[in-house]
Amino acid sequence: MLVSATEMLNKAKAGHYAVGQFNINNLEWTKAILQTAQELNSPVILGVSEGAGKYMTGYKTVVGMVNGMLEELNITVPVALHLDHGSYDGCYKCLEAGFSSIMFDGSHYPIDENVEKTTELVKAAHEKGVSIEAEVGAIGGEEDGVIGMGECADPNECKRIADLGVDFLAAGIGNIHGKYPANWKGLSFETLDAIQQLTGELPLVLHGGTGIPADMIKKAISLGVAKINVNTECQLAFAAATRKYIEEGKDEQGKGYDPRKLLAPGFEAIKATVKEKMELFGSVDKA
């Protein structure tokens, strides 16, 4: 059964570890992440971007697939199904479809409009027992066509959004979606510290978890980050394993072209990546 992300993240913040949000793109992705979470006895958040939701034909399909897997795979660890970087309309669609958590990304609106829309969505989500994440300050890089340079959020604006009753907050601290460029300046721990001092117990979220060095991840967790989003790293691992299989000509041996065989190395690569991240984030055995 899907759960909201509130309890798992409050526990993570209090226990100084982080829960991974791993974005899903299809059945292989979802199954790999759920099985790894179960094997490691870790809570997990399945992230769905609006683009991935559309690719999987719609939010109802995603909810049906995830709920079916929880039952068929006997998943007993806490699992939240979360809309990633949701638009105002997207949030309402996911509430209707049966998601257990949503993110409203109002970071591109003027702060007053972000506050107004977030206030409304907090009420709508909480009426359904769904957790809600908000965002202040743009996360850099490109995600679904949105390109940002990784600006740092204003801690006072973070406080304004935190006070609206959101369950966790994504604040830009120089992090970027996708691969990090060679000239990346690193995370701004000063900003993170200032945000945590103003937002107190509220779990903070680190987007763009791919490519951030392990020591920075650990420092971010020590400063209140309780949710870390990973997407690109799983995609790169899946692509590399699939390429290797085909380059070695395995798809031409026997029934190597069968998608169950063709996609198996990529599936295992996702599992290995998720395991590595859960160990780094400290969520193993925290279910």
Side-chain angles (χ1 to χ4, degrees):
M1 198 175 103
L2 288 169
V3 297
S4 100
T6 308
E7 190 188 343
M8 64 171 87
L9 294 181
N10 286 339
K11 274 172 135 171
K13 170 112 183 198
H16 303 292
Y17 61 92
V19 175
Q21 172 193 302
F22 300 94
N23 283 50
I24 60 173
N25 298 284
N26 60 19
L27 181 139
E28 270 71 28
W29 243 258
T30 312
K31 182 179 162 190
I33 295 160
L34 287 177
Q35 282 189 339
T36 309
Q38 186 68 27
E39 284 161 20
L40 297 180
N41 194 31
S42 167
V44 71
I45 298 166
L46 303 176
V48 179
S49 69
E50 296 205 345
K54 201 172 166 186
Y55 173 75
M56 291 185 271
T57 77
Y59 300 124
K60 286 179 183 165
T61 303
V62 177
V63 170
M65 173 177 72
V66 173
N67 280 333
M69 276 196 207
L70 294 179
E71 194 181 323
E72 302 280 8
L73 296 171
N74 297 317
I75 303 295
T76 56
V77 297
V79 178
L81 179 59
H82 181 75
L83 172 65
D84 192 24
H85 290 282
S87 62
Y88 178 78
D89 292 339
C91 284
Y92 278 108
K93 283 180 186 157
C94 286
L95 286 175
E96 200 184 313
F99 273 55
S100 65
S101 190
I102 56 170
M103 174 191 186
F104 170 57
D105 183 354
S107 61
H108 50 286
Y109 292 112
I111 187 66
D112 289 339
E113 194 174 343
N114 191 356
V115 166
E116 188 188 324
K117 286 184 159 67
T118 302
T119 303
E120 190 188 309
L121 284 162
V122 165
K123 187 171 178 287
H126 287 170
E127 275 171 5
K128 286 185 175 278
V130 169
S131 53
I132 178 166
E133 172 182 349
E135 182 174 322
V136 184
I139 311 292
E142 179 174 351
E143 180 155 86
D144 283 351
V146 181
I147 299 173
M149 268 320 291
E151 305 144 33
C152 287
D154 176 338
N156 294 315
E157 289 187 357
C158 289
K159 169 103 175 101
R160 274 188 74 182
I161 296 284
D163 287 347
L164 303 175
V166 296
D167 299 290
F168 32 108
L169 179 71
I173 54 167
N175 38 330
I176 293 175
H177 287 126
K179 289 180 174 180
Y180 281 76
N183 62 354
W184 181 56
K185 293 182 177 69
L187 297 178
S188 169
F189 292 114
E190 236 170 292
T191 308
L192 181 57
D193 192 34
I195 292 165
Q196 177 173 242
Q197 285 180 27
L198 291 177
T199 56
E201 297 298 303
L202 189 69
L204 301 175
V205 182
L206 185 62
H207 283 248
T210 296
I212 296 177
D215 57 334
M216 282 195 190
I217 293 274
K218 286 181 170 156
K219 186 163 183 187
I221 293 171
S222 76
L223 290 171
V225 165
K227 172 178 180 274
I228 301 175
N229 294 11
V230 176
N231 184 18
T232 307
E233 210 151 335
C234 289
Q235 294 185 353
L236 291 169
F238 181 86
T242 308
R243 181 189 301 116
K244 185 170 180 277
Y245 181 87
I246 291 172
E247 283 178 350
E248 287 172 358
K250 289 182 178 165
D251 58 316
E252 292 174 330
Q253 294 166 16
K255 282 199 169 179
Y257 53 80
D258 181 324
R260 283 169 286 186
K261 290 185 174 166
L262 179 65
L263 299 177
F267 173 83
E268 291 301 334
I270 295 170
K271 284 191 74 177
T273 304
V274 172
K275 180 175 190 280
E276 189 187 308
K277 293 296 167 197
M278 286 177 166
E279 286 167 351
L280 173 61
F281 301 163
S283 70
V284 175
D285 280 329
K286 295 294 198 295

